Amino acid sequence: MSDTSKVSKAETAEDQAPQTTVAPSDDPTAAPVSVVDPRLLVREEGFKGYWTEFTRKVKGGELGSLPVVVGLIVIWAIFQFKNDRFLSADNLSNISYYLSATGMIAIGLVFVLLLGEIDLSVGSVSGLASTLFAVWVVNHGMNVWLALVLAIITGVAIGALHGWFFAKIGVPAFVVTLAGLLGWNGLMLWLLGSSGTINIPSDSGPIHLFGQSSFFMDQAIIGAYLLAGLAVVLTLVGNFSEQRRRKAAGVPFRPTAEILVRVGALAVAAFVAAAVLNNASGVSNSLVIFLAALVVVDFVLRRTTYGRQVFAVGGGIEAARRAGISVPMVRITVFAISGGFAAIGGMFFAGQTASATLSAGGGNTLMLAIAAAVIGGTSLFGGRGSVWSALLGMLVIQSITTGLDLLNMNASIQYMITGGVLLGAVVIDSVSRRSQKAAGRG
């Protein structure tokens, strides 16, 4: 078996055997002693065991999504106290709709951040993609769906080009993508011409898919509950499949009671969210597509060989190379993915505004996308994170934006607060990494 196969089939720490045998001393004649996996002892102790394990992880710096979830609760509580319309169905529906465009860009950035790198071009790439779509459809009469696909492919190609310069030529990612930020923005301005705006027909792909009046199953109430039920069923099936697989392999697995509690908590959250959105206008297509993308990409990162390779390269380039991983290939594909998701985000923006404009992908789009990934829990130092951080981070950012709008506060306040939250997230990440190293887990 090759080294690459060994890495691709390597399991996480949880996949270690539930019981190991060690010698009690240096005496080779000493009888071996069985050591039971501590996770099994935790589960045998019931709630007390889980609480002990939770506190151990917190002290060891393994915070996960805890800081951002607590922060989100605090933000919602403050804005609800200031304005009782904040947690209304209509306002929460607006938050869920407007977070999707920048959230899509943030998904691609998560891949880049997992390598410990940065992509400064995603805002310009998203604007260029929406502009190319508008030019092809409006000026050249191209089929809207063909134009949509070509715009996304262009984003992938641009990202791959950035990755090639980084991986093969050795130009720092910061410099390559900074050049891309300037160059692709200039191309977008040239394509838009003197008018600076191209209006997109209302029956075009992005407007139909991503417009504010486009809802899953045409505003049918059953649509939101159908999605919630599907999420619960898929999670239940996935958990029991994993339990069966781990049982067969003879490694620690989640007991059925724990699975049911986890899925029950998800069911409550999902159906409450569905009920709230139904009290407004329903579930927007943008949100549905964004969540579907999160599920697919999460599967790729956590359950495929390629996903393990991304984490391996982010955790240590030399170790990944020695394990037989093609580091240049991983780098190029990661930047291609970032460019592709930037283009998809550009299509979302085009659907929201029904136009391609000079401001497309500009302003604070890049900064908010990076902030979303980092605030959500993806480490700037590489090797640690999840695509769900794009959702959590955007929930925080969009909640701040919407809450300040309700309070009629200036955009400058939004920037300052978002900047403070971003700094806090990075500080927590840095302290967490230091704590993990001190606990011998870094």
Side-chain angles (χ1 to χ4, degrees):
M1 183 181 294
S2 66
D3 289 337
T4 306
S5 300
K6 292 178 182 177
V7 171
S8 64
K9 294 182 179 180
E11 294 293 334
T12 60
E14 291 185 354
D15 286 334
Q16 296 172 358
Q19 181 172 310
T20 57
T21 302
V22 298
S25 67
D26 294 333
D27 183 1
T29 62
V33 177
S34 296
V35 180
V36 180
D37 191 298
R39 287 179 292 269
L40 299 181
L41 297 178
V42 164
R43 286 164 180 161
E44 287 176 2
E45 292 178 1
F47 177 78
K48 180 183 176 182
Y50 284 105
W51 178 254
T52 301
E53 179 70 2
F54 172 76
T55 55
R56 183 196 64 79
K57 286 184 176 180
V58 171
K59 291 178 181 178
E62 300 176 63
L63 301 178
S65 300
L66 180 63
V68 67
V69 171
V70 172
L72 187 62
I73 293 173
V74 172
I75 290 170
W76 283 12
I78 291 174
F79 282 125
Q80 178 65 16
F81 176 77
K82 293 290 185 179
N83 190 315
D84 58 7
R85 289 183 297 159
F86 180 79
L87 292 180
S88 66
D90 288 334
N91 190 59
L92 292 177
S93 178
N94 286 335
I95 291 175
S96 70
Y97 172 71
Y98 285 108
L99 64 79
S100 57
T102 308
M104 275 292 188
I105 300 176
I107 290 177
L109 279 171
V110 167
F111 279 82
V112 178
L113 292 174
L114 286 174
L115 296 188
E117 302 295 339
I118 194 67
D119 187 350
L120 300 178
S121 69
V122 289
S124 296
V125 173
S126 70
L128 177 61
S130 64
T131 299
L132 287 173
F133 174 84
V135 168
W136 287 332
V137 171
V138 177
N139 296 351
H140 299 287
M142 184 182 291
N143 177 273
V144 292
W145 297 108
L146 176 60
L148 178 65
V149 172
L150 288 178
I152 295 174
I153 291 176
T154 300
V156 173
I158 289 173
L161 179 64
H162 294 162
W164 183 82
F165 275 106
F166 169 52
K168 294 295 188 179
I169 307 300
V171 182
F174 179 89
V175 176
V176 173
T177 56
L178 178 59
L181 182 154
L182 299 172
W184 304 124
N185 187 61
L187 179 58
M188 180 190 73
L189 299 180
W190 180 74
L191 289 172
L192 288 173
S194 57
S195 65
T197 301
I198 300 178
N199 293 320
I200 301 175
S202 59
D203 60 346
S204 66
I207 306 300
H208 179 69
L209 276 178
F210 315 130
Q212 195 167 8
S213 59
S214 300
F215 296 91
F216 182 68
M217 295 187 68
D218 298 324
Q219 300 185 2
I221 292 179
I222 192 176
Y225 293 119
L226 179 63
L227 287 172
L230 181 63
V232 172
V233 170
L234 289 178
T235 303
L236 191 64
V237 171
N239 274 271
F240 277 122
S241 297
E242 182 180 15
Q243 182 195 60
R244 186 168 57 253
R245 177 180 66 85
R246 297 174 74 86
K247 272 185 179 180
V251 296
F253 56 88
R254 287 198 179 108
T256 301
E258 181 180 342
I259 292 177
L260 293 178
V261 170
R262 286 171 175 264
V263 175
L266 172 65
V268 171
F271 281 98
V272 167
V276 170
L277 293 176
N278 276 336
N279 285 334
S281 302
V283 182
S284 66
N285 286 338
S286 294
L287 180 61
V288 174
I289 296 171
F290 177 49
L291 293 176
L294 286 171
V295 172
V296 172
V297 174
D298 178 66
F299 177 83
V300 170
L301 274 178
R302 295 196 305 113
R303 301 296 184 186
T304 67
T305 299
Y306 175 74
R308 295 188 183 100
Q309 290 176 345
V310 171
F311 278 103
V313 173
I317 295 174
E318 187 57 34
R321 185 179 290 113
R322 288 177 179 274
I325 296 174
S326 175
V327 175
M329 182 277 293
V330 171
R331 286 174 163 175
I332 292 172
T333 53
V334 159
F335 277 91
I337 290 170
S338 179
F341 274 102
I344 296 173
M347 295 297 98
F348 274 59
F349 281 123
Q352 291 177 0
T353 61
S355 64
T357 66
L358 293 173
S359 61
N364 59 355
T365 301
L366 168 64
M367 294 299 104
L368 291 182
I370 296 175
V374 176
I375 290 172
T378 298
S379 175
L380 281 170
F381 304 100
R384 188 176 66 189
S386 166
V387 293
W388 293 100
S389 62
L391 172 61
L392 292 173
M394 279 310 304
L395 272 174
V396 171
I397 292 173
Q398 196 59 49
S399 295
I400 293 173
T401 302
T402 306
L404 293 177
D405 286 342
L406 286 177
L407 299 178
N408 296 318
M409 289 189 176
N410 194 284
S412 59
I413 305 297
Q414 174 199 338
Y415 294 159
M416 287 187 284
I417 293 177
T418 304
V421 172
L422 174 59
L423 177 61
V426 176
V427 169
I428 290 173
D429 181 35
S430 300
V431 173
S432 173
R433 290 177 68 88
R434 219 164 41 216
S435 299
Q436 286 189 6
K437 288 182 179 179
R441 303 176 67 88

